[in-house]
Amino acid sequence: MVKSFKQRLNNLDTTFIFAVLFTAIISIVTTWLMVSYLFNEIVQGILYPYSDYPVIVSSTADILIIPGFIAMWLAVFIGIADILLKLFENTFYEKLKSKLGYAVGIVLIISIIAFVTNYFTWQVAAHSNGYTQCDSGSKLLMGSKISSAWSKEEYLCNDYNVDKLLSTGTHDQVVEVARYLKSN
């Protein structure tokens, strides 16, 4: 039996629609956050080994933010395609959903490759440019599970003032540490 549009509309799962709307709102907020703040942090983090900052920060998880962001938007589009498929029963939406699912898989594979590649190339570049990772007993970024401090001078790893300025490892703090050390 062919259902009318009104019947198909009534059969939609409202919880699923709210989940898609909620994910879309979160994606919009995340997009704003990425454009206004995070994208610069990620780019700076990738470029740190090639910089002249006396202390830099390695955050291995930063490289996963962009693929995660893309996967989040793909999830929104898959949800929308699913809703449209249930409303219009058009095979186009079914094919679209399938292709978006493949895209999520590709993004996940790229994420793993980017994470591993970034981890090793970042460390090689940092070592090549004179940086040494501060050991786990140093003051800098103590307690951080995903970030580590690197320095061109070993004594900076235990410097109280540098530790105070580099509390969370943001790019602004890295710049502030460089200014502080240049002025002293």
Side-chain angles (χ1 to χ4, degrees):
M1 176 174 130
V2 177
K3 294 180 183 177
S4 70
F5 182 78
K6 186 174 181 179
Q7 289 172 323
R8 291 189 305 255
L9 186 61
N10 288 335
N11 287 339
L12 285 177
D13 183 6
T14 55
T15 306
F16 182 74
I17 293 171
F18 284 121
V20 171
L21 284 174
F22 182 72
T23 307
I25 290 168
I26 289 175
S27 298
I28 291 167
V29 170
T30 304
T31 301
W32 173 80
L33 190 67
M34 287 283 290
V35 170
S36 65
Y37 177 73
L38 286 177
F39 190 70
N40 182 48
E41 287 287 320
I42 294 166
V43 170
Q44 292 300 327
I46 291 169
L47 297 177
Y48 277 151
Y50 311 102
S51 70
D52 287 330
Y53 295 117
V55 176
I56 58 175
V57 176
S58 169
S59 183
T60 53
D62 279 356
I63 198 74
L64 296 178
I65 291 174
I66 294 174
F69 170 76
I70 293 168
M72 184 171 50
W73 272 108
L74 287 172
V76 169
F77 295 140
I78 288 170
I80 292 170
D82 188 56
I83 292 168
L84 293 173
L85 174 64
K86 289 176 183 172
L87 279 177
F88 299 110
E89 296 178 347
N90 189 328
T91 57
F92 169 78
Y93 299 115
E94 190 172 348
K95 291 176 186 175
L96 178 64
K97 226 174 94 170
S98 174
K99 289 182 191 233
L100 290 171
Y102 287 130
V104 169
I106 290 168
V107 166
L108 293 176
I109 291 169
I110 290 171
S111 298
I112 293 168
I113 293 169
F115 180 76
V116 171
T117 304
N118 180 60
Y119 179 77
F120 290 111
T121 58
W122 198 99
Q123 288 192 1
V124 168
H127 283 297
S128 297
N129 289 307
Y131 290 100
T132 306
Q133 184 174 3
C134 296
D135 46 344
S136 59
S138 75
K139 289 182 177 282
L140 302 184
L141 299 175
M142 189 166 54
S144 176
K145 303 270 187 232
I146 60 170
S147 297
S148 61
W150 292 63
S151 174
K152 288 197 175 195
E153 302 292 334
E154 192 175 329
Y155 77 92
L156 294 174
C157 293
N158 293 304
D159 186 295
Y160 176 76
N161 292 323
V162 171
D163 176 50
K164 233 166 122 173
L165 292 171
L166 193 69
S167 58
T168 59
T170 64
H171 178 64
D172 290 340
Q173 292 173 356
V174 169
V175 171
E176 189 63 33
V177 167
R179 280 191 206 127
Y180 164 75
L181 293 171
K182 193 173 186 177
S183 69
N184 288 340

